[in-house]
Short mmCIF file of all heavy atoms in Angstrom, two decimals:
data_model
loop_
_atom_site.label_atom_id
_atom_site.label_comp_id
_atom_site.label_asym_id
_atom_site.label_seq_id
_atom_site.Cartn_x
_atom_site.Cartn_y
_atom_site.Cartn_z
N ASN A 15 1.43 14.95 -0.15
CA ASN A 15 1.32 13.81 -1.06
C ASN A 15 2.04 12.58 -0.51
O ASN A 15 2.79 11.90 -1.22
CB ASN A 15 1.88 14.15 -2.44
CG ASN A 15 0.98 15.10 -3.22
OD1 ASN A 15 -0.05 15.55 -2.73
ND2 ASN A 15 1.38 15.42 -4.43
N THR A 16 1.80 12.30 0.77
CA THR A 16 2.43 11.15 1.40
C THR A 16 1.40 10.30 2.15
O THR A 16 0.38 10.80 2.62
CB THR A 16 3.52 11.57 2.39
OG1 THR A 16 2.97 12.42 3.40
CG2 THR A 16 4.65 12.29 1.68
N VAL A 17 1.71 9.03 2.24
CA VAL A 17 0.96 8.11 3.07
C VAL A 17 1.96 7.33 3.91
O VAL A 17 3.05 6.99 3.42
CB VAL A 17 0.06 7.17 2.23
CG1 VAL A 17 0.89 6.33 1.26
CG2 VAL A 17 -0.79 6.27 3.13
N THR A 18 1.62 7.08 5.17
CA THR A 18 2.54 6.40 6.06
C THR A 18 1.89 5.18 6.68
O THR A 18 0.67 5.06 6.73
CB THR A 18 3.03 7.32 7.19
OG1 THR A 18 1.92 7.70 8.02
CG2 THR A 18 3.68 8.58 6.62
N LEU A 19 2.71 4.27 7.13
CA LEU A 19 2.25 3.10 7.88
C LEU A 19 3.12 2.97 9.11
O LEU A 19 4.30 2.61 9.01
CB LEU A 19 2.34 1.84 7.02
CG LEU A 19 1.76 0.57 7.66
CD1 LEU A 19 0.23 0.69 7.79
CD2 LEU A 19 2.13 -0.67 6.85
N GLN A 20 2.55 3.29 10.27
CA GLN A 20 3.24 3.11 11.53
C GLN A 20 3.01 1.68 12.00
O GLN A 20 1.86 1.26 12.18
CB GLN A 20 2.71 4.10 12.57
CG GLN A 20 3.35 3.98 13.95
CD GLN A 20 4.81 4.33 13.94
OE1 GLN A 20 5.19 5.34 13.36
NE2 GLN A 20 5.63 3.51 14.59
N MET A 21 4.08 0.94 12.20
CA MET A 21 3.99 -0.47 12.56
C MET A 21 4.61 -0.66 13.94
O MET A 21 5.82 -0.48 14.12
CB MET A 21 4.71 -1.34 11.54
CG MET A 21 4.21 -1.15 10.11
SD MET A 21 4.97 -2.30 8.94
CE MET A 21 6.69 -1.76 9.03
N ASN A 22 3.78 -1.01 14.91
CA ASN A 22 4.21 -1.26 16.27
C ASN A 22 4.05 -2.73 16.62
O ASN A 22 3.33 -3.46 15.95
CB ASN A 22 3.41 -0.41 17.25
CG ASN A 22 3.59 1.08 17.04
OD1 ASN A 22 4.65 1.54 16.63
ND2 ASN A 22 2.53 1.83 17.34
N SER A 23 4.71 -3.14 17.69
CA SER A 23 4.61 -4.52 18.17
C SER A 23 4.83 -5.52 17.04
O SER A 23 4.05 -6.46 16.86
CB SER A 23 3.26 -4.75 18.84
OG SER A 23 3.06 -3.86 19.93
N LEU A 24 5.89 -5.32 16.30
CA LEU A 24 6.15 -6.15 15.13
C LEU A 24 6.37 -7.61 15.51
O LEU A 24 6.92 -7.92 16.57
CB LEU A 24 7.36 -5.62 14.38
CG LEU A 24 7.10 -4.36 13.55
CD1 LEU A 24 8.42 -3.70 13.18
CD2 LEU A 24 6.30 -4.72 12.30
N LYS A 25 5.92 -8.47 14.62
CA LYS A 25 6.06 -9.90 14.77
C LYS A 25 6.83 -10.47 13.59
O LYS A 25 6.82 -9.89 12.51
CB LYS A 25 4.68 -10.56 14.83
CG LYS A 25 3.77 -10.06 15.94
CD LYS A 25 2.39 -10.71 15.86
CE LYS A 25 1.48 -10.22 16.97
NZ LYS A 25 0.14 -10.84 16.88
N PRO A 26 7.50 -11.61 13.77
CA PRO A 26 8.19 -12.22 12.64
C PRO A 26 7.28 -12.45 11.43
O PRO A 26 7.75 -12.38 10.29
CB PRO A 26 8.70 -13.55 13.22
CG PRO A 26 8.89 -13.27 14.66
CD PRO A 26 7.76 -12.34 15.02
N GLU A 27 6.01 -12.70 11.67
CA GLU A 27 5.05 -12.91 10.60
C GLU A 27 4.81 -11.66 9.76
O GLU A 27 4.21 -11.74 8.68
CB GLU A 27 3.70 -13.38 11.16
CG GLU A 27 3.79 -14.64 12.02
CD GLU A 27 3.98 -14.31 13.49
OE1 GLU A 27 5.14 -14.19 13.92
OE2 GLU A 27 2.96 -14.19 14.20
N ASP A 28 5.26 -10.50 10.23
CA ASP A 28 5.13 -9.26 9.47
C ASP A 28 6.23 -9.11 8.43
O ASP A 28 6.19 -8.17 7.63
CB ASP A 28 5.17 -8.05 10.41
CG ASP A 28 4.00 -8.02 11.37
OD1 ASP A 28 2.87 -8.34 10.95
OD2 ASP A 28 4.23 -7.67 12.55
N THR A 29 7.21 -9.99 8.44
CA THR A 29 8.30 -9.92 7.47
C THR A 29 7.76 -10.05 6.06
O THR A 29 7.08 -11.01 5.72
CB THR A 29 9.32 -11.03 7.75
OG1 THR A 29 9.94 -10.82 9.02
CG2 THR A 29 10.40 -11.04 6.67
N ALA A 30 8.07 -9.06 5.23
CA ALA A 30 7.57 -9.03 3.86
C ALA A 30 8.13 -7.80 3.15
O ALA A 30 8.71 -6.91 3.77
CB ALA A 30 6.03 -8.96 3.85
N VAL A 31 7.94 -7.78 1.84
CA VAL A 31 8.13 -6.55 1.08
C VAL A 31 6.81 -5.78 1.13
O VAL A 31 5.76 -6.34 0.82
CB VAL A 31 8.54 -6.82 -0.37
CG1 VAL A 31 8.63 -5.51 -1.15
CG2 VAL A 31 9.86 -7.56 -0.42
N TYR A 32 6.88 -4.53 1.53
CA TYR A 32 5.70 -3.69 1.66
C TYR A 32 5.61 -2.74 0.48
O TYR A 32 6.59 -2.06 0.15
CB TYR A 32 5.73 -2.92 2.98
CG TYR A 32 5.39 -3.77 4.18
CD1 TYR A 32 6.28 -4.73 4.64
CD2 TYR A 32 4.17 -3.63 4.83
CE1 TYR A 32 5.96 -5.54 5.72
CE2 TYR A 32 3.85 -4.42 5.92
CZ TYR A 32 4.75 -5.38 6.36
OH TYR A 32 4.42 -6.17 7.43
N TYR A 33 4.43 -2.67 -0.14
CA TYR A 33 4.22 -1.88 -1.34
C TYR A 33 3.18 -0.79 -1.12
O TYR A 33 2.12 -1.04 -0.54
CB TYR A 33 3.72 -2.75 -2.48
CG TYR A 33 4.68 -3.83 -2.92
CD1 TYR A 33 4.65 -5.09 -2.35
CD2 TYR A 33 5.61 -3.57 -3.92
CE1 TYR A 33 5.52 -6.08 -2.76
CE2 TYR A 33 6.48 -4.56 -4.34
CZ TYR A 33 6.44 -5.81 -3.75
OH TYR A 33 7.30 -6.79 -4.17
N CYS A 34 3.48 0.38 -1.59
CA CYS A 34 2.53 1.47 -1.63
C CYS A 34 1.66 1.35 -2.88
O CYS A 34 2.15 0.98 -3.95
CB CYS A 34 3.29 2.80 -1.64
SG CYS A 34 2.27 4.28 -1.57
N TYR A 35 0.38 1.67 -2.75
CA TYR A 35 -0.58 1.50 -3.84
C TYR A 35 -1.54 2.68 -3.88
O TYR A 35 -2.03 3.11 -2.83
CB TYR A 35 -1.35 0.20 -3.65
CG TYR A 35 -2.44 -0.07 -4.65
CD1 TYR A 35 -2.14 -0.42 -5.95
CD2 TYR A 35 -3.78 0.00 -4.27
CE1 TYR A 35 -3.14 -0.69 -6.87
CE2 TYR A 35 -4.79 -0.28 -5.18
CZ TYR A 35 -4.47 -0.63 -6.48
OH TYR A 35 -5.46 -0.90 -7.38
N ALA A 36 -1.80 3.18 -5.07
CA ALA A 36 -2.74 4.28 -5.27
C ALA A 36 -3.80 3.86 -6.28
O ALA A 36 -3.47 3.31 -7.33
CB ALA A 36 -2.01 5.52 -5.76
N ASP A 37 -5.07 4.13 -5.97
CA ASP A 37 -6.18 3.69 -6.82
C ASP A 37 -7.20 4.81 -6.97
O ASP A 37 -7.76 5.27 -5.99
CB ASP A 37 -6.84 2.45 -6.21
CG ASP A 37 -7.83 1.77 -7.14
OD1 ASP A 37 -8.10 2.29 -8.24
OD2 ASP A 37 -8.34 0.70 -6.76
N ARG A 38 -7.45 5.22 -8.20
CA ARG A 38 -8.46 6.23 -8.49
C ARG A 38 -9.87 5.71 -8.23
O ARG A 38 -10.78 6.48 -7.96
CB ARG A 38 -8.31 6.70 -9.94
CG ARG A 38 -9.34 7.71 -10.41
CD ARG A 38 -9.14 9.08 -9.79
NE ARG A 38 -10.23 9.97 -10.18
CZ ARG A 38 -10.21 10.76 -11.24
NH1 ARG A 38 -9.14 10.82 -12.02
NH2 ARG A 38 -11.27 11.52 -11.52
N ARG A 39 -10.06 4.42 -8.31
CA ARG A 39 -11.31 3.70 -8.03
C ARG A 39 -12.40 3.91 -9.07
O ARG A 39 -12.99 2.95 -9.56
CB ARG A 39 -11.85 4.05 -6.63
CG ARG A 39 -10.89 3.71 -5.50
CD ARG A 39 -10.73 2.22 -5.34
NE ARG A 39 -11.81 1.66 -4.53
CZ ARG A 39 -11.99 0.36 -4.33
NH1 ARG A 39 -11.18 -0.51 -4.89
NH2 ARG A 39 -12.98 -0.06 -3.57
N ASP A 40 -12.73 5.15 -9.39
CA ASP A 40 -13.82 5.44 -10.33
C ASP A 40 -13.39 5.38 -11.79
O ASP A 40 -14.23 5.55 -12.67
CB ASP A 40 -14.46 6.79 -10.01
CG ASP A 40 -13.49 7.94 -10.09
OD1 ASP A 40 -12.28 7.72 -9.91
OD2 ASP A 40 -13.94 9.08 -10.32
N ILE A 41 -12.12 5.15 -12.04
CA ILE A 41 -11.62 4.98 -13.40
C ILE A 41 -10.87 3.66 -13.47
O ILE A 41 -9.86 3.47 -12.78
CB ILE A 41 -10.71 6.14 -13.84
CG1 ILE A 41 -11.49 7.46 -13.79
CG2 ILE A 41 -10.16 5.89 -15.23
CD1 ILE A 41 -10.67 8.67 -14.18
N VAL A 42 -11.36 2.76 -14.29
CA VAL A 42 -10.77 1.43 -14.38
C VAL A 42 -9.32 1.51 -14.87
O VAL A 42 -9.01 2.25 -15.80
CB VAL A 42 -11.59 0.53 -15.33
CG1 VAL A 42 -10.92 -0.82 -15.52
CG2 VAL A 42 -13.00 0.36 -14.77
N ASP A 43 -8.46 0.75 -14.22
CA ASP A 43 -7.05 0.62 -14.56
C ASP A 43 -6.22 1.85 -14.25
O ASP A 43 -5.03 1.90 -14.62
CB ASP A 43 -6.86 0.25 -16.04
CG ASP A 43 -7.35 -1.15 -16.35
OD1 ASP A 43 -7.31 -2.01 -15.45
OD2 ASP A 43 -7.77 -1.37 -17.50
N MET A 44 -6.79 2.81 -13.55
CA MET A 44 -5.99 3.94 -13.12
C MET A 44 -5.52 3.68 -11.68
O MET A 44 -6.07 4.19 -10.71
CB MET A 44 -6.76 5.25 -13.21
CG MET A 44 -5.90 6.48 -13.01
SD MET A 44 -6.72 8.03 -13.47
CE MET A 44 -6.66 7.91 -15.26
N ASP A 45 -4.49 2.83 -11.59
CA ASP A 45 -3.91 2.48 -10.30
C ASP A 45 -2.41 2.28 -10.47
O ASP A 45 -1.93 1.94 -11.56
CB ASP A 45 -4.57 1.25 -9.68
CG ASP A 45 -4.67 0.07 -10.62
OD1 ASP A 45 -4.08 0.10 -11.72
OD2 ASP A 45 -5.34 -0.90 -10.26
N TYR A 46 -1.68 2.46 -9.38
CA TYR A 46 -0.22 2.50 -9.46
C TYR A 46 0.41 1.82 -8.25
O TYR A 46 -0.14 1.83 -7.15
CB TYR A 46 0.26 3.95 -9.54
CG TYR A 46 -0.39 4.73 -10.65
CD1 TYR A 46 -1.50 5.53 -10.39
CD2 TYR A 46 0.07 4.64 -11.95
CE1 TYR A 46 -2.12 6.24 -11.40
CE2 TYR A 46 -0.55 5.34 -12.97
CZ TYR A 46 -1.64 6.14 -12.70
OH TYR A 46 -2.26 6.83 -13.71
N TRP A 47 1.58 1.23 -8.48
CA TRP A 47 2.33 0.53 -7.45
C TRP A 47 3.71 1.13 -7.28
O TRP A 47 4.37 1.53 -8.26
CB TRP A 47 2.52 -0.94 -7.82
CG TRP A 47 1.27 -1.75 -7.80
CD1 TRP A 47 0.44 -2.01 -8.85
CD2 TRP A 47 0.70 -2.44 -6.67
NE1 TRP A 47 -0.61 -2.80 -8.45
CE2 TRP A 47 -0.47 -3.08 -7.12
CE3 TRP A 47 1.08 -2.57 -5.33
CZ2 TRP A 47 -1.27 -3.85 -6.28
CZ3 TRP A 47 0.29 -3.32 -4.50
CH2 TRP A 47 -0.86 -3.96 -4.96
N GLY A 48 4.18 1.16 -6.04
CA GLY A 48 5.57 1.45 -5.78
C GLY A 48 6.42 0.20 -5.97
O GLY A 48 5.91 -0.89 -6.21
#
């Protein structure tokens, strides 16, 4: 039950808060944020 993001060759433009998101897609409003 994990998802990862491997980030290589980072640039200053990548600076941000990164959020995990889950979406059921077939059911409206069934989505979640970290």
Side-chain angles (χ1 to χ4, degrees):
N15 288 2
T16 59
V17 60
T18 64
L19 185 68
Q20 179 66 45
M21 304 185 295
N22 298 328
S23 301
L24 284 164
K25 302 176 180 179
E27 304 92 271
D28 297 319
T29 295
V31 176
Y32 284 72
Y33 297 90
C34 184
Y35 176 72
D37 190 356
R38 178 72 186 268
R39 300 291 277 174
D40 59 335
I41 300 179
V42 175
D43 292 330
M44 190 167 285
D45 50 10
Y46 307 96
W47 292 93

